């Protein structure tokens, strides 16, 4: 059995060989995709000096408090005016400013007599006020959005402003899921006798969808070796990038997955990691013509497969695409934690923010059963407890991976 760190090193080194491809995507379709190019602005932003307020454009002079109105400029309707110290142009937000303008007085700060405006008592003008300077947000040819950004709605405006109706994004990885187990029935059935609903299929497909990757649903297969082998072979020879299986990776009599992987030519890189939950994980690679399929045999227990996906699949896909996701926080333990083994634990917990102490706190959930995904559904983090740590006292700080 290898350590968590060793497992990460191995997966990282292997996934580095994954040949990523890119596509031109229409702007809106790029939402939640990973940007594969730096987005450079082809213009200065803003492209001209403009007003940040509805008001009056003036050429600032310390003593002057009255100005004669000589015209108006609205957004998109520039007209040339020559400003002196004593005249002004009415300007609307976004309007291009006259060349000599050095300040904009907001409408609210003047008494407006139509042909003359006068500064209200006690209002002070600062030179440069309410002027958005050409290029102050970004200069032409500078980077607006960096390559490897996971695009969310907040980036779309910047891309649109830079004139990008198409952007280059990484192709979504195709990730297939096959779940094994004689005890499993699909979710539209009422399980009877010794059957249970096979929830892993949906849980993993959801995790893949959440990452905006392409899920491939390979469904259920019973614990018949030849059936499993047939389905896994077909999957490995298809155009997928990653194959996930669940169940059948432990030491039970009907746990065929490791044997099948080996038989089909999967190069096993490790089997079993010193973590809880998720220990029986098996990881390997399969050469399919000129391409490698990365294979994760996840445990059957629903919490184990969920946690393994977050730790070993999601984390490494993000690493491959250099996505810097801030997904962990430090929080103070509400109650002490004890463990009796030397595994690295990822305990389901609930963290929150304490505004009195300005710190995060975290509470371990009572049920840590790797079969209890209903309980895990109430958690919002995984509390990380290292291999050598046996207990963590109340009030001590722990790392929490947000889920
Ligand atoms: P296994 O890894 O196949 O030994 O399965 C470990 C435990 O997880 C057993 O209690 C299985 O019944 C359960 N299990 C396996 N696959 C699923 C699944 N898809 N959904 C829910 N539970 C599962
Ligand atoms: Mg099984």
């Amino acid at each position: 059995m290898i350590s968590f760190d060793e497992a990460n090193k191995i997966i990282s080194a292997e996934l580095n060989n994954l040949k990523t491809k890119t596509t031109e995507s229409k702007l809106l379709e790029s939402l939640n995709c990973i940007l594969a190019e730096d987005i450079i602005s082809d213009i200065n932003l803003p492209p001209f000096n403009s007003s940040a307020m509805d008001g009056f454009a003036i050429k600032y002079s310390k003593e002057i408090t009255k100005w004669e109105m000589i015209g108006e400029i609205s957004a998109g309707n520039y007209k040339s005016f020559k400003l002196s110290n004593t005249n002004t142009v009415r300007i609307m937000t976004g309007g291009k400013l006259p060349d000599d303008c050095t300040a904009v007085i907001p409408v609210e700060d003047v008494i407006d007599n139509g042909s003359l405006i006068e500064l209200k008592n006690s209002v002070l003008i600062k030179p440069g006020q309410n002027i958005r300077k050409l290029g102050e947000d970004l200069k032409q040819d500078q980077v607006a959005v960096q390559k490897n950004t996971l695009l969310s709605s907040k980036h779309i405006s910047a891309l649109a402003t830079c004139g990008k109706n198409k952007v280059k994004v990484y192709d979504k990885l195709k990730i297939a899921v096959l779940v094994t187990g004689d005890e499993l029935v699909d979710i539209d059935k009422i399980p009877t006798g010794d059957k249970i609903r096979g929830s892993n299929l949906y849980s993993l497909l959801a995790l893949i969808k959440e990452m905006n990757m392409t899920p491939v649903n390979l469904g259920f297969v019973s614990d018949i070796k030849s059936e499993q082998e047939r389905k896994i072979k077909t999957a490995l020879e298809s155009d997928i990038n990653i194959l996930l299986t669940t169940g059948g990776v432990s030491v039970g009599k009907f746990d065929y997955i490791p044997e099948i992987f080996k038989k089909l030519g999967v190069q096993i890189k490790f089997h079993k990691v010193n973590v809880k939950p998720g220990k029986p994980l098996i990881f390997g690679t399969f050469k399919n013509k000129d391409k490698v399929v990365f294979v994760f045999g996840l445990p059957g227990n629903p919490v184990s497969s969920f946690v393994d996906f977050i730790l070993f699949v999601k984390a490494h896909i993000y690493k491959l695409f250099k996505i810097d996701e801030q997904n962990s926080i430090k929080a103070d333990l509400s109650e002490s934690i004890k463990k009796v083994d030397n595994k690295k634990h990822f305990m389901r917990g609930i963290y929150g923010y304490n505004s009195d102490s300005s710190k995060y706190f975290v509470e371990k959930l009572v049920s840590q059963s790797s079969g209890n995904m209903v309980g895990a559904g109430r958690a919002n983090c995984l509390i990380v407890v290292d291999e050598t740590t046996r207990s963590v006292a109340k009030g001590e700080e722990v790392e929490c991976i947000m889920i």
Side-chain angles (χ1 to χ4, degrees):
M1 181 153 59
I2 62 169
S3 70
F4 174 74
D5 289 345
E6 283 166 326
N8 278 310
K9 266 191 213 132
I10 293 170
I11 299 173
S12 191
E14 292 300 330
L15 246 72
N16 237 343
N17 300 322
L18 198 154
K19 288 191 185 73
T20 53
K21 292 187 185 149
T22 61
T23 341
E24 288 275 303
S25 165
K26 282 190 189 159
L27 180 61
L28 278 185
E29 277 150 32
S30 73
L31 187 67
N32 298 324
C33 292
I34 304 160
L35 194 58
E37 60 175 342
D38 281 336
I39 299 298
I40 313 279
S41 186
D42 59 345
I43 51 171
N44 286 304
L45 297 173
F48 46 84
N49 288 345
S50 66
S51 178
M53 304 280 275
D54 290 326
F56 300 93
I58 60 158
K59 185 174 178 182
Y60 174 77
S61 175
K62 208 172 178 188
E63 290 80 27
I64 310 290
T65 55
K66 281 185 195 155
W67 297 267
E68 187 198 339
M69 191 92 71
I70 56 165
E72 68 177 31
I73 301 172
S74 62
N77 296 299
Y78 178 75
K79 282 188 245 65
S80 171
F81 291 101
K82 181 90 191 107
L83 287 182
S84 71
N85 289 341
T86 55
N87 66 21
T88 186
V89 168
R90 184 187 292 274
I91 187 95
M92 272 33 96
T93 305
K96 177 170 149 87
L97 291 168
D99 288 345
D100 306 316
C101 172
T102 53
V104 172
I105 314 172
V107 168
E108 298 80 358
D109 287 352
V110 302
I111 300 153
D112 182 358
N113 295 328
S115 57
L116 201 74
I117 62 158
E118 193 174 338
L119 200 63
K120 284 184 183 165
N121 278 338
S122 78
V123 173
L124 281 177
I125 306 170
K126 282 196 219 118
Q129 72 176 30
N130 302 317
I131 293 178
R132 290 183 183 151
K133 286 237 169 243
L134 176 149
E136 77 174 19
D137 297 344
L138 200 73
K139 303 270 183 301
Q140 185 178 348
D141 297 329
Q142 284 184 334
V143 176
V145 186
Q146 275 185 337
K147 185 175 171 179
N148 296 102
T149 298
L150 179 54
L151 293 173
S152 69
S153 54
K154 73 178 177 211
H155 302 111
I156 299 298
S157 175
L159 300 182
T161 302
C162 291
K164 304 296 284 188
N165 61 355
K166 281 190 177 162
V167 288
K168 200 201 257 188
V169 295
Y170 288 106
D171 285 1
K172 298 178 188 188
L173 299 182
K174 266 193 163 181
I175 310 177
V177 186
L178 175 71
V179 301
T180 70
D182 277 351
E183 72 279 36
L184 307 177
V185 296
D186 206 347
I187 52 172
D188 55 352
K189 308 269 185 330
I190 297 175
T192 54
D194 61 351
K195 307 293 176 203
I196 58 167
R197 287 198 179 106
S199 61
N200 289 350
L201 179 63
Y202 297 94
S203 151
L204 289 165
L205 292 172
L207 282 159
I208 297 162
K209 274 184 85 135
E210 208 165 53
M211 294 183 70
N212 197 31
M213 296 291 158
T214 304
V216 180
N217 182 349
L218 301 180
F220 296 86
V221 60
S222 54
D223 290 323
I224 300 169
K225 207 195 278 183
S226 57
E227 274 297 289
Q228 293 187 350
E229 187 180 322
R230 192 176 58 78
K231 290 218 167 175
I232 292 170
K233 185 172 191 292
T234 311
L236 290 172
E237 289 169 358
S238 73
D239 63 345
I240 59 170
N241 302 103
I242 297 176
L243 171 65
L244 308 177
T245 61
T246 77
V249 281
S250 302
V251 288
K253 190 171 167 205
F254 303 100
D255 290 342
Y256 302 129
I257 295 294
E259 186 189 327
I260 293 172
F261 282 171
K262 276 181 212 144
K263 186 173 171 202
L264 292 175
V266 174
Q267 296 280 313
I268 306 295
K269 303 294 172 184
F270 65 78
H271 186 188
K272 295 199 180 88
V273 190
N274 194 26
V275 292
K276 190 175 177 175
K279 182 183 97 174
L281 173 71
I282 184 165
F283 171 69
T285 56
F286 177 79
K287 203 143 175 31
N288 178 19
K289 294 173 203 121
D290 56 338
K291 169 174 146 217
V292 177
V293 179
F294 300 88
V295 183
F296 292 83
L298 306 170
N301 271 309
V303 180
S304 309
S305 56
F306 183 86
V307 171
D308 272 349
F309 182 94
I310 289 176
L311 299 178
F312 299 112
V313 184
K314 182 177 176 182
H316 286 282
I317 291 175
Y318 275 3
K319 200 166 170 216
L320 171 72
F321 289 109
K322 301 186 185 68
I323 295 172
D324 194 12
E325 203 207 24
Q326 174 49 46
N327 74 336
S328 85
I329 55 156
K330 298 266 190 224
D332 292 344
L333 269 182
S334 301
E335 291 299 330
S336 63
I337 283 179
K338 281 198 170 28
K339 72 177 176 68
V340 293
D341 58 37
N342 288 327
K343 294 198 186 92
K344 188 167 176 119
H345 283 225
F346 297 89
M347 299 176 179
R348 277 67 70 210
I350 299 181
Y351 77 85
Y353 188 68
N354 182 340
S355 50
D356 291 338
S357 67
S358 305
K359 289 180 98 175
Y360 286 100
F361 63 88
V362 66
E363 189 183 330
K364 187 186 95 166
L365 290 184
V366 176
S367 168
Q368 293 294 322
S369 159
S370 56
N372 183 3
M373 202 55 210
V374 176
R378 298 195 187 106
N380 59 9
C381 68
L382 301 173
I383 305 170
V384 184
V385 186
D386 275 338
E387 291 86 343
T388 51
T389 306
R390 282 302 172 95
S391 64
V392 192
K394 176 177 174 173
E396 269 191 58
E397 206 176 57
V398 284
E399 186 194 348
C400 302
I401 299 171
M402 289 176 258
I403 55 170

